[in-house]
Amino acid sequence: MALKREFYLREPAVVARELLGKRLVRETSAGMCGGRIVEVEAYLSRRDPACHASRGMTRRNATMFGPAGRAYVYMIHSRWCLNAVTEPGGVPSAILIRAIEPLEGLDLMHQRRRTEMVRDLARGPARLCEALAIDRAYDGWDLTAGQELWIAEDPEANGKPLRIARSGRIGISSAQRRLLRFYLLDNRYVSGRVRRAAT
DNA sequence: CTACCGATTGACT
DNA sequence: GTCAATCGGTAGA
């Protein structure tokens, strides 16, 4: 059961935090795959210089200006990255899904990534997209419809509290002071170098 | 049209 | 630890 639109219609930092532990699910004719979201980053509309939308709408970032709960997929360095759009239409904020812990369809993800290392399947935003076969075709995709690509509660969560840490965003030069990266503490599928957790 | 740059990754010292 | 491949998006002439 996919998360509903209301989930995404909130403060981006809150949505980011709550996306941790949720299931990212991908279904193709080849089968199902996906896993648990372990790392995300929030990008806050126009006031945030690191956000693609901070300089207004362009062809690339138009999806960010649309309804919440859709996928914003963009290319960087010849690789795709997946975001979930948050807040009401016209407030262009989004959450970058940076890493998942692979749980389902590992064989499919190995094929697509061409690696034997489970840890390298979806650790990093572009690796994740390669593992799940996400590209430009999914820019604007409705993540609340429960088809092909969606986000759902983790059936194995059982209400267990998550140990969450936050830090500055990775690969960003501006606005490093903002702690908008959220990740699960001590999870080996989180990307980036080991750094101090600012809680 | 050209020039520059990036929310990355993987190969290499 | 460092560094370059690689190419679409964007701004500017």
Side-chain angles (χ1 to χ4, degrees), chain A residues 16-24 34-41 95-103 119 122-125 128 151 154 162-167 181-192:
Chain A
R17 212 185 167 82
E18 295 196 14
L19 277 174
L20 291 175
K22 298 291 190 290
R23 289 290 188 106
L24 179 60
R36 201 166 158 245
I37 297 172
V38 299
E39 179 186 1
V40 297
E41 286 176 357
I95 312 302
L96 173 67
I97 315 291
R98 286 195 57 92
I100 64 172
E101 175 178 343
L103 292 175
R119 186 160 183 256
R123 181 170 50 90
L128 181 159
I151 300 174
D154 180 2
L162 301 170
R163 291 172 54 77
I164 295 172
R166 63 191 296 183
S167 77
R181 171 175 174 251
F182 300 86
Y183 58 98
L184 294 187
L185 209 54
D186 303 322
N187 185 290
R188 75 188 246 97
Y189 298 97
V190 170
S191 77

Side-chain angles (χ1 to χ4, degrees), chain A residues 43 48-51 54-55 168-178 180:
Chain A
Y43 288 85
D48 178 0
C51 181
S54 64
R55 291 183 194 178
R169 292 168 292 186
I170 290 181
I172 296 287
S173 51
S174 60
Q176 261 308 316
R177 275 184 232 170
R178 300 204 198 201
L180 292 173

Side-chain angles (χ1 to χ4, degrees), chain A residues 15-82:
Chain A
V15 176
R17 212 185 167 82
E18 295 196 14
L19 277 174
L20 291 175
K22 298 291 190 290
R23 289 290 188 106
L24 179 60
V25 187
R26 176 79 168 105
E27 183 171 27
T28 67
S29 54
M32 305 269 296
C33 68
R36 201 166 158 245
I37 297 172
V38 299
E39 179 186 1
V40 297
E41 286 176 357
Y43 288 85
L44 311 179
S45 186
R46 297 173 178 279
R47 314 185 297 275
D48 178 0
C51 181
H52 286 168
S54 64
R55 291 183 194 178
M57 184 163 70
T58 65
R59 176 120 116 257
R60 175 174 67 158
N61 67 21
T63 301
M64 280 181 100
F65 290 78
R70 301 226 179 149
Y72 166 45
V73 179
Y74 71 90
M75 175 175 270
I76 182 72
H77 287 275
S78 312
R79 299 151 199 273
W80 300 107
C81 294
L82 170 70

Side-chain angles (χ1 to χ4, degrees), chain A residues 86-135:
Chain A
T86 68
E87 300 197 284
V91 184
S93 302
I95 312 302
L96 173 67
I97 315 291
R98 286 195 57 92
I100 64 172
E101 175 178 343
L103 292 175
E104 187 179 11
L106 288 249
D107 51 341
L108 264 178
M109 293 195 265
H110 279 294
Q111 280 174 35
R112 293 173 180 143
R113 289 274 303 131
R114 299 189 204 92
T115 176
E116 303 298 313
M117 306 279 293
V118 176
R119 186 160 183 256
D120 289 342
L121 287 181
R123 181 170 50 90
R127 290 168 170 165
L128 181 159
C129 282
E130 189 174 28
L132 301 194
I134 296 167
D135 62 17

